[in-house]
Amino acid sequence: MSITNAPLVLYVYRCTVCGQAGKLHLPESSPEVTTACSACGAEVLAEWDGGVELVTDQPD
Ligand SMILES: [Zn+2]
């Protein structure tokens, strides 16, 4: 059975090469993910920022 409704969580990183502070939303998978710095392309380790950020429908 595939996961079709995984919550998105906010990951944050700070590049050790250029100092770029970045963030990204990814489906919840692991506490840490390896990604590429958006500024210089160096490999960085992004970590959960505080916890799960649920994406919900809020009728207006
Ligand atoms: Zn960088």
Side-chain angles (χ1 to χ4, degrees), residues 20-40:
Q20 167 79 2
K23 57 187 175 182
L24 60 161
H25 286 89
L26 295 173
E28 180 178 9
S29 56
S30 62
E32 300 176 337
V33 297
T34 302
T35 186
C37 173
S38 63
C40 74

Side-chain angles (χ1 to χ4, degrees), residues 3 5-11 25-31 33 48 51-54:
I3 299 172
N5 205 18
L8 290 179
V9 298
L10 178 64
Y11 290 85
H25 286 89
L26 295 173
E28 180 178 9
S29 56
S30 62
V33 297
W48 271 345
V52 176
E53 181 173 291
L54 293 174

Side-chain angles (χ1 to χ4, degrees), residues 13 15-20 37-42 44:
Y13 66 84
C15 180
T16 56
V17 177
C18 73
Q20 167 79 2
C37 173
S38 63
C40 74
V44 294

